[in-house]
Amino acid sequence: MCWRIVDGDVRVLVIHRPRYDDLTLPKGKVDPGETLPQTAVREVREETGLSITLGMPLSQTEYTIASGREKIVHYWTAEVTEAAAKASRFKPNSEVDAVHWMPLAKARVALSYEHDIRLLEEFAQLHEKAGGATFGIIVLRHAKALPRAEWTGSDEKRPLASRGVLQAQHIVPTVRAWQPRRIITSPAVRCAATVAPLARALDRKPRHEPGISQDAWDDGAAQVPEVVAKRLVAGKTAVLCSHRPVLPDILREFALATGTPVTWQLREAAVLEPAAFTIVHLSRLHPTAGILALETHNPV
C-alpha cells in the first residue's frame, strides 16, 4: 500500500494490469531465496519504478485465482517521498501499463476487488490513528553464538558460530526493507558481529550501548528504559541488537513507555530465536501514543 501526501491529501498507488483489465494494488510472487519483505520491495520497484521503504504490516488476503489455487498475499504500508516519486522510472509494459495516485475516496470506488478495498479501509484507519508517518524499532536477537562450553574466554567476547556468521549475512536484505537510520548494539562480540554486515550494507556506524548488554542485565545495571526513551524521542527507524534475556524487558518497556497493554502477543514477540527480530511500529508524530503494530521475522 504505497502512499504519499499530495497537496495536503493522502493518495495511494493503484496500478492497471492490461492482462486482467483491473485496477489493483502492487503485488507479486516470491523469488527463490527471498523473504516476503524483500519481495514486497522488489515487486513494487519492478511494477512501478518506485524504490520504497516498508512501514507497518497490513492484513493478509486470501482468495481463489482462475486456476482454482488459493493465493495468499502479504501487505505492508510504504510511504513514498516526493524525491522517490520523482525518481521513478516507470515505463508502461505488458504487466502494468498505468499507475495512478488516487485520493482514498476515489480509490475505494476504482479498485476492482473487495479484498483490496478492505485493505484500503484498514490502511485509512491505521493512518488516521498514527497521524501520518510511522517508524519502526527493529528489536534483534544476536545470531547463533559459539556455545559457552566451547569458549574459554569472557562471555562478552564469545564470538558467533559459523552458522551465526551466515545468519548475520542473510538478515541484511530483509532488514534493509525498512532502511534503519540507526544501529544500536550491545557491545558483546556476538551482537556487534551480528549487525556488522548490516552496518556495512547501509553505510551506518553501529553505536555500542552497554545498557542493553547481558553483562549489565546480569548485574542488575541494565538501562533499558533510558535506551527506549532515546529511541522514542529520536523518532527514526533503528535496530536494537541485544540478548535473549534482555529482549522481554526491551519489548515490555516499549509497551510501558507508550501506554500499550502488555499482552500475550507482546510477550510472544520477545521470544526470539537467534537472528530473529520483532519490529515495534510507532507514530512519528505521537510516538508515545501506543504501539501501532508488531511483526516478527525469523531467519531463513
Side-chain angles (χ1 to χ4, degrees):
M1 185 73 69
C2 299
W3 66 277
R4 59 190 285 220
I5 302 296
V6 179
D7 297 329
D9 293 327
V10 180
R11 299 195 183 185
V12 294
L13 186 68
V14 176
I15 63 172
H16 179 261
R17 301 185 299 178
R19 178 181 177 185
Y20 305 102
D21 190 23
D22 60 5
L23 288 168
T24 186
L25 304 173
K27 62 177 70 68
K29 297 178 181 178
V30 178
D31 279 349
E34 275 188 334
T35 61
L36 292 170
Q38 284 178 264
T39 302
V41 173
R42 177 184 56 76
E43 284 287 352
V44 170
R45 183 176 62 250
E46 290 178 359
E47 291 191 351
T48 70
L50 292 168
S51 295
I52 63 166
T53 299
L54 295 188
M56 294 185 293
L58 296 172
S59 298
Q60 301 175 23
T61 63
E62 301 182 29
Y63 52 91
T64 304
I65 59 178
S67 65
R69 294 174 56 196
E70 290 295 317
K71 187 169 187 178
I72 301 175
V73 188
H74 300 253
Y75 289 89
W76 284 266
T77 64
E79 181 183 9
V80 176
T81 64
E82 191 64 26
K86 289 180 178 178
S88 172
R89 296 294 182 264
F90 171 74
K91 294 181 179 180
N93 56 75
S94 60
E95 186 174 0
V96 177
D97 63 354
V99 297
H100 307 279
W101 286 102
M102 295 186 179
L104 297 181
K106 184 176 180 180
R108 287 187 185 98
V109 176
L111 286 167
S112 301
Y113 306 109
E114 284 296 325
H115 53 260
D116 282 349
I117 297 171
R118 288 195 298 271
L119 281 166
L120 182 70
E121 296 292 350
E122 180 183 352
F123 163 75
Q125 292 173 11
L126 278 172
H127 185 82
E128 183 176 0
K129 184 177 180 180
T134 64
F135 69 101
I137 303 298
I138 301 166
V139 182
L140 169 68
R141 180 180 173 183
H142 65 73
K144 180 68 175 177
L146 198 69
R148 285 187 175 88
E150 299 177 19
W151 177 249
T152 58
S154 67
D155 187 62
E156 185 181 38
K157 296 187 181 300
R158 184 157 52 96
L160 294 180
S162 56
R163 179 185 171 195
V165 172
L166 291 175
Q167 288 176 330
Q169 296 168 354
H170 289 165
I171 64 173
V172 172
T174 304
V175 176
R176 283 188 73 173
W178 287 273
Q179 289 294 317
R181 303 284 301 279
R182 300 286 185 271
I183 300 175
I184 297 97
T185 179
S186 159
V189 167
R190 55 193 181 276
C191 287
T194 296
V195 301
L198 177 66
R200 288 193 294 270
L202 295 172
D203 194 23
R204 304 282 179 191
K205 184 178 181 180
R207 180 165 65 82
H208 288 188
E209 178 49 75
I212 57 172
S213 70
Q214 185 160 347
D215 283 351
W217 188 87
D218 288 341
D219 294 340
Q223 296 180 316
V224 172
E226 293 84 351
V227 173
V228 167
K230 287 179 182 178
R231 292 303 96 214
L232 293 175
V233 170
K236 296 177 181 178
T237 295
V239 172
L240 288 181
C241 183
S242 189
H243 309 259
R244 178 186 58 79
V246 189
L247 299 177
D249 286 359
I250 293 175
L251 269 294
R252 188 182 307 112
E253 187 57 37
F254 272 110
L256 295 174
T258 60
T260 304
V262 180
T263 62
W264 67 267
Q265 290 96 333
L266 187 132
R267 289 192 290 268
E268 191 175 72
V271 182
L272 299 174
E273 60 182 279
F277 59 91
T278 287
I279 308 179
V280 181
H281 293 278
L282 302 158
S283 164
R284 193 176 298 164
L285 184 62
H286 304 294
T288 61
I291 294 173
L292 298 169
L294 288 170
E295 61 178 306
T296 297
H297 295 269
N298 292 313
V300 293

